[in-house]
Amino acid sequence: MPSALYPYIVATDGNKPLLYVFDTHTHRLLKTLPLPGHRKASQITRFSEGGSLLVVIGDPEPVISLFDGKLNPLGQVAVGNKPVDGCFSPDNCTLLIANKDDGTLSVIDLATLKVIGTPSVGRGCEVLSYFVAAQVEPFY
């Protein structure tokens, strides 16, 4: 999904660690970005709410790349085996990555680009999202 501030579409290359950036209106290729730290093609991209951050998830290898909303590289983070999805917290302070083969989440502090937790969630975890509610009663 393109950001309201920076209107473009991104797509990963199926064979090489590259990110293609397209204009939302003309659908023309604007630029191609390398994915340093990735040796293989990545499969998944996710913008944060509002488009201020982008994560590129390395699916076949345990690494993610982060970019700001203007697609300037912020860095790479090592995660668990076979990362298949990710989601940003509503405040853009935390990123969760689902590691399918490990059965873990990589909880990443976006200020430091460090993994701050790896809770077990069961093998095969693939899809993540945050649920935000004004008032929620604890279920425990």
Side-chain angles (χ1 to χ4, degrees):
M1 171 198 286
S3 158
L5 299 174
Y6 313 109
Y8 37 68
I9 300 167
V10 297
T12 56
D13 187 292
N15 297 310
K16 299 177 267 186
L18 296 173
L19 187 67
Y20 297 106
V21 183
F22 297 90
D23 181 275
T24 11
H25 302 294
T26 65
H27 303 121
R28 291 185 185 207
L29 181 66
L30 298 173
K31 60 183 166 180
T32 302
L33 299 172
L35 296 171
H38 296 255
R39 290 175 289 147
K40 300 178 181 178
S42 293
Q43 185 175 358
I44 299 134
T45 62
R46 297 279 184 262
F47 277 103
S48 64
E49 187 69 31
S52 63
L53 295 168
L54 172 72
V55 63
V56 179
I57 302 170
D59 188 356
E61 58 188 344
V63 64
I64 63 159
S65 289
L66 287 155
F67 295 85
D68 68 13
K70 293 182 179 180
L71 299 182
N72 296 308
L74 299 174
Q76 293 76 40
V77 179
V79 295
N81 289 322
K82 193 154 177 65
V84 294
D85 199 7
C87 66
F88 292 92
S89 63
D91 61 5
N92 287 337
C93 290
T94 306
L95 173 64
L96 300 179
I97 299 293
N99 304 306
K100 183 177 179 178
D101 286 355
D102 285 357
T104 63
L105 298 179
S106 293
V107 181
I108 301 167
D109 178 331
L110 291 170
T112 63
L113 298 185
K114 303 282 185 206
V115 174
I116 58 172
T118 53
S120 294
V121 294
R123 252 187 108 145
C125 176
E126 289 191 21
V127 180
L128 297 173
S129 67
Y130 269 89
F131 174 74
V132 179
Q135 293 182 343
V136 175
E137 294 293 321
F139 62 90
Y140 48 90

